[in-house]
Amino acid sequence: MTSHSNSPQHQPHHTRDQGTPGTELVVDIGPIAHGGHFVARHEGRVIFVRHAIPGEKVRIRLTDSGDSSRFWRADVVEVLEGSADRVPHFWKQADSLGSWSRGTAPVGGAELGHISLQRQRSLKAEVLAEQLKRLAGLDLATEVEAVGENHDGGLGWRTRASFAVTPKGRLGMHAHRSDTVLPIKEMPLALAGINELKLWDLDLSGIARVEVALPANGSRPLILLAPEESTSPKRLHSILSQLPHDVSVASFDPGKGEVLQLRGRTWVQETAAGHDYRVTGEGFWQIHKDAPDTLVGAVTGYLSQGGYLQPGAAVADLYAGAGLFTAPLADAVGVTGSVLSVEGAPGTSRDARKNLHGQSQVEIVQGRVERVLHQRARSFDSLVLDPPRAGAGKAVIKQLMATGPRAIAYVSCDPASFARDLGYFHQGGWRLESLRAFDLYPHTHHLETVGLIVPAA
């Protein structure tokens, strides 16, 4: 792409107002940083640039800046010297170059869609290695493994999708770090069934947020509507009447976590590792259609091969959700073993109770992991740990080590919190025995890791 630097819209602004959002600058792109940004520098100041690739020379537009800011943020608006790994973006509304040329920011949610899938995975591997080095003192290179069919181009994998609503009542998504909601007409990362609902054709005035859950097994989808406070029941029912009849619909209050049935069920039926799971409303479930089986295989593989998961073993599943790992753990330890399943969210914990009610060896406890471990001093052969994005934290890790397990399988969706927690394990005399990383979120900066952590002695 050539630059027409003499055209007025491409004239860089004068230095004195270079800190104002909207200013355009030309920069060379450095390495990727955690969070899907790339590092550039301008007159000594760090700029986190989205929609770039290391080694490129690009024109950027400042989106978040100011003279007092420690660093600035920006989007690429023109590629002056492109990388061989740059590909046409598959989604018009998430494409930075096309969006800014039309005078609007791109929607978030596919921030690496301009990069070949192979390079995306190598960049994610760099981020993981950098976090492990910086936060855990580990020199370790880990391949980020592709998941699912290779011929799908990394599209059509999301079984869950979250949407905002524009001021005109149209389905939309947020621009990155912005309150601006942009209307959309497709969600290429979602399963075809989510797109086939054609929610963008409806008038959603009175709704603040829409969540869609479409189980990969083809069972009945669920649409969750979060109404604005002023929305009348009549308005809600008028929206309900526009939605397909074979879809469950519920309203939900994100603040209180309450889900109210409008039609059909307030939950979906998921399948993984030979088990069926009921997952209520906004209850947590892995988003990629192949993620549940992939992660169960990695976790049980590590624990079984190491001899930590045999009939009669005592194990715990912490931050257990609806019981994705609890059920296969219960299969492995059998009726002579025991599984303690701990989950903080009341609704999801009720799901786990329903999903595992026939398994006498499973004890389900609803509560914060640190409180449950404190109240019930006991020892385990092995633990599965799948905390939220923030990680488990120092206090929980101290408690885990104190329960004396022979191994811990740690599932993480954030390399920074995982590396930080690994540092706490190291301080306590434990080490990382094995690590796998999976590309469960193609075209985004996210990745999932499964680590096996054991006492060093």
Side-chain angles (χ1 to χ4, degrees):
M1 211 177 289
T2 56
S3 161
H4 305 290
S5 53
N6 58 347
S7 62
Q9 72 267 31
H10 286 314
Q11 281 291 12
H13 295 218
H14 296 296
T15 309
R16 66 187 159 77
D17 66 356
Q18 279 186 345
T20 55
T23 301
E24 292 189 0
L25 305 168
V26 172
V27 295
D28 294 311
I29 299 297
I32 189 169
H34 178 50
H37 316 278
F38 299 84
V39 179
R41 283 188 163 75
H42 174 72
E43 295 176 358
R45 190 188 303 263
V46 168
I47 307 178
F48 289 121
V49 180
R50 284 169 79 80
H51 312 291
I53 305 177
E56 292 188 326
K57 184 185 281 292
V58 294
R59 186 181 304 283
I60 59 171
R61 179 191 178 99
L62 298 182
T63 54
D64 195 349
S65 57
D67 274 346
S68 58
S69 309
R70 276 193 314 128
F71 54 81
W72 292 345
R73 296 178 185 275
D75 262 359
V76 173
V77 294
E78 187 183 4
V79 179
L80 305 174
E81 291 169 22
S83 160
D85 293 308
R86 184 172 278 275
V87 297
H89 205 296
F90 58 87
W91 186 8
K92 184 180 163 186
Q93 283 141 316
D95 174 31
S96 184
L97 301 177
S99 296
W100 285 115
S101 73
R102 296 188 298 274
T104 169
V107 297
E111 63 276 10
L112 300 186
H114 61 287
I115 308 176
S116 70
L117 280 169
Q118 195 176 350
R119 183 69 191 277
Q120 286 182 34
R121 289 193 277 270
S122 73
L123 288 167
K124 292 180 192 191
E126 283 174 34
V127 169
L128 177 58
E130 195 255 338
Q131 298 296 316
L132 289 172
K133 173 85 177 152
R134 193 167 64 83
L135 297 168
L138 266 185
D139 267 313
L140 182 65
T142 311
E143 178 205 356
V144 175
E145 304 172 38
V147 172
E149 301 104 19
N150 283 326
H151 57 73
D152 58 11
L155 305 179
W157 50 266
R158 288 191 78 114
T159 62
R160 301 272 189 289
S162 183
F163 302 101
V165 178
T166 71
K168 290 183 175 173
R170 293 287 153 189
L171 195 76
M173 289 178 67
H174 284 277
H176 177 64
R177 292 175 63 87
S178 167
D179 295 332
T180 306
V181 179
L182 304 159
I184 59 162
K185 287 282 187 193
E186 59 172 342
M187 202 321 170
L189 298 181
L191 291 184
I194 291 180
N195 285 291
E196 284 158 14
L197 293 169
K198 293 205 171 6
L199 297 177
W200 32 79
D201 290 345
L202 308 184
D203 176 3
L204 296 165
S205 303
I207 302 297
R209 235 173 85 197
V210 181
E211 307 271 341
V212 184
L214 186 97
N217 58 18
S219 66
R220 190 172 186 173
L222 171 64
I223 296 175
L224 292 170
L225 304 172
E228 287 164 358
E229 275 179 38
S230 57
T231 303
S232 67
K234 188 180 169 194
R235 175 72 199 127
L236 209 50
H237 281 281
S238 132
I239 293 167
L240 181 64
S241 67
Q242 303 176 65
L243 295 168
H245 290 295
D246 54 350
V247 172
S248 294
V249 187
S251 72
F252 77 108
D253 179 333
K256 298 181 186 155
E258 292 173 353
V259 179
L260 298 170
Q261 173 195 34
L262 296 174
R263 183 175 71 215
R265 316 190 286 211
T266 55
W267 48 275
V268 290
Q269 177 100 33
E270 295 282 2
T271 308
H275 290 268
D276 285 332
Y277 299 84
R278 164 195 173 129
V279 185
T280 298
E282 269 203 303
F284 178 76
W285 188 255
Q286 288 289 343
I287 292 172
H288 190 297
K289 59 183 174 18
D290 299 310
D293 286 327
T294 300
L295 295 174
V296 165
V299 164
T300 55
Y302 272 163
L303 295 179
S304 301
Q305 286 154 20
Y308 309 116
L309 186 63
Q310 301 137 308
V315 299
D317 181 12
L318 307 177
Y319 310 96
L324 171 62
F325 297 111
T326 311
L329 292 174
D331 292 344
V333 303
V335 289
T336 57
S338 68
V339 185
L340 171 68
S341 182
V342 182
E343 167 58 40
T348 314
S349 187
R350 280 195 296 274
D351 288 341
R353 214 170 283 281
K354 289 201 164 67
N355 295 332
L356 295 144
H357 66 90
Q359 308 264 36
S360 58
Q361 69 271 44
V362 176
E363 181 188 1
I364 294 183
V365 180
Q366 188 250 313
R368 293 171 68 91
V369 166
E370 54 272 41
R371 194 172 300 151
V372 174
L373 291 178
H374 181 68
Q375 286 165 350
R376 299 155 183 261
R378 58 170 89 188
S379 60
F380 298 101
D381 293 296
S382 59
L383 303 173
V384 175
L385 189 61
D386 183 11
R389 192 167 298 285
K394 195 171 195 170
V396 169
I397 285 165
K398 271 181 114 155
Q399 285 179 295
L400 297 184
M401 294 187 290
T403 65
R406 292 162 53 223
I408 294 174
Y410 188 145
V411 182
S412 167
C413 62
D414 184 87
S417 61
F418 172 69
R420 182 209 62 204
D421 283 353
L422 206 48
Y424 299 143
F425 278 113
H426 284 173
Q427 288 163 21
W430 289 54
R431 65 183 171 84
L432 180 65
E433 167 90 355
S434 308
L435 181 65
R436 291 179 74 184
F438 301 100
D439 192 19
L440 290 180
Y441 311 90
H443 302 298
T444 80
H445 68 275
H446 299 288
L447 72 151
E448 196 93 9
T449 54
V450 178
L452 182 67
I453 303 168
V454 296

